[in-house]
Amino acid sequence: MPRVLSRTPSIFAPFRRLQQLMLAALLLAGSGSALAQALPVQVQVSGNTATAQIGVLGQPVADLTLSFDDASGLSASSLGISAKLVNLNNAALLARLPDLQLTQLDSALPLLITVEPPGNGGLSFNRTVRVEVHTHALSYSAGSAYRLFKAPLLGPFRDISDEIAPGSVRARGTTGGFSQFLVLLDLRDTGDVIAAKFDWLRDRVDALPVGVRPGYTASLDAAEAAVASENFATAIAELDTLRASAASQAGGALTQQWQAGGSNNQAGDLIAGAATLKFSIAYLRDYGH
C-alpha cells in the first residue's frame, strides 16, 4: 500500500514557503528547457568534509555535505559539484527512475545534484563517502517516504538511503563513488526495494575474487532468509558482519580506492550496499510495506 505523508506545521514553514516560491520562479524562468535552471553552488572544504550551499547565498535551496572516510586531493575545484532545478516532465530524466509511477520528483524540490570530479583534479578516496542533502523545502514526518537516489551520469537511479532525518529533511546515504543525486518520493513496496538491494549486493559479490566470495555470499543468504522469516534482528546482524568483513579486507583482498577517471571500489560498494539494505530492512520492521 502506498505510504501517506503527513505534513504538519513547523517553525520552518515560513522559510519553506519562501524556498518554494523561489523554486517556482526559477522553474518558470527556465521552463522551456529540459534542465530548467542551473543554480549557484558555493563549496567549502575542511579536512575530510566538503559542504556545498546550493542556491542564492543566505537563502539556499539545499545544502550538500560530503564526509569522506579518507580523502586525498579534496578541494572545491576537485569535486566538480553542480546543481540544477529540473523540469518535472523531463522524459529523459524520468526514464532513469526505477518506477515512473512510484518513484517521483517532488515539485517542492526538483533538484538534480551532480558530483563529477574532473579527471585531472587529483581527487581520490578510500572506502566510502557519506552524502547528506539537507533542505527546508520538504517536510519531515516519521516513516517519511523521501529517499536519496544516486546514478552514474545518464544512468539509472537507485536508492542509497541509510537515514532520513528531520531538519526539515536530511536525506543521507553512503556510497563508494559518485555522480548524480536526487531526493525522491519512493512509494514502492518495501519488500520490492529490499529485493532490489539484495540483487545489487549479490552482483557486487559475484565480481569479487573467487577466494573471498563464500563469506559474503553466506552473509547475504542468511540475511535474506532472515528477512523472509521476519527475523529482522538476525538480518541486520548478518549485514553488520558483511560490512565488518569488507572494512577489514579493504586495501587487501578487496580494492578500496575511488579516483576520478575510473575505479573499482569493492570494499566501498559492499559497505555502502549493506548500509542502505539495513535501512530498508529496519523500515520494513518499523513501518511494514
Side-chain angles (χ1 to χ4, degrees):
M1 179 181 296
R3 297 182 290 275
V4 178
L5 295 180
S6 64
R7 296 185 177 271
T8 55
S10 76
I11 61 172
F12 298 112
F15 185 63
R16 184 180 304 116
R17 179 57 179 163
L18 175 60
Q19 284 188 317
Q20 290 170 347
L21 290 172
M22 291 170 60
L23 287 167
L26 287 168
L27 283 170
L28 183 61
S31 59
S33 62
L35 287 174
Q37 180 67 46
L39 295 175
V41 178
Q42 296 85 33
V43 182
Q44 294 185 330
V45 172
S46 177
N48 280 315
T49 301
T51 55
Q53 187 177 88
I54 299 169
V56 179
L57 191 64
Q59 295 178 326
V61 171
D63 296 310
L64 172 71
T65 302
L66 303 173
S67 302
F68 294 84
D69 280 350
D70 179 20
S72 176
L74 178 60
S75 67
S77 60
S78 71
L79 279 166
I81 300 175
S82 61
K84 296 179 179 180
L85 296 177
V86 298
N87 189 310
L88 295 174
N89 298 314
N90 182 343
L93 180 63
L94 295 177
R96 299 167 60 192
L97 305 186
D99 188 305
L100 188 59
Q101 300 299 319
L102 298 178
T103 50
Q104 305 165 358
L105 284 164
D106 192 317
S107 60
L109 191 75
L111 177 66
L112 174 67
I113 300 170
T114 299
V115 183
E116 188 66 11
N120 61 357
L123 177 64
S124 65
F125 68 88
N126 291 328
R127 295 177 300 281
T128 63
V129 55
R130 190 88 187 280
V131 181
E132 177 187 278
V133 178
H134 171 220
T135 181
H136 293 299
L138 303 175
S139 298
Y140 173 84
S141 60
S144 172
Y146 289 117
R147 298 289 183 268
L148 180 64
F149 280 71
K150 170 185 173 289
L153 286 176
L154 304 180
F157 281 91
R158 64 182 181 87
D159 174 19
I160 66 163
S161 310
D162 61 32
E163 184 180 10
I164 304 297
S168 292
V169 167
R170 297 178 185 270
R172 296 168 176 154
T174 306
T175 178
F178 295 118
S179 55
Q180 292 188 304
F181 301 92
L182 290 169
V183 176
L184 299 175
L185 280 166
D186 190 354
L187 303 177
R188 293 175 296 168
D189 184 279
T190 307
D192 293 340
V193 173
I194 289 171
K197 291 182 179 182
F198 269 117
D199 288 345
W200 189 89
L201 264 176
R202 287 190 185 280
D203 287 344
R204 307 285 86 71
V205 169
D206 289 345
L208 297 178
V210 174
V212 300
R213 289 180 202 167
Y216 294 104
T217 298
S219 290
L220 286 177
D221 288 345
E224 196 161 23
V227 171
S229 63
E230 299 187 354
N231 187 345
F232 301 121
T234 296
I236 288 171
E238 289 291 345
L239 292 172
D240 283 337
T241 298
L242 187 152
R243 293 177 72 190
S245 295
S248 68
Q249 293 182 325
L254 302 180
T255 59
Q256 67 166 350
Q257 187 179 70
W258 181 96
Q259 58 186 2
S263 62
N264 181 22
N265 185 355
Q266 294 169 330
D269 285 346
L270 292 176
I271 293 167
T276 189
L277 180 52
K278 276 185 58 178
F279 169 82
S280 293
I281 291 171
Y283 189 93
L284 178 65
R285 176 197 65 200
D286 295 341
Y287 299 103
H289 293 279

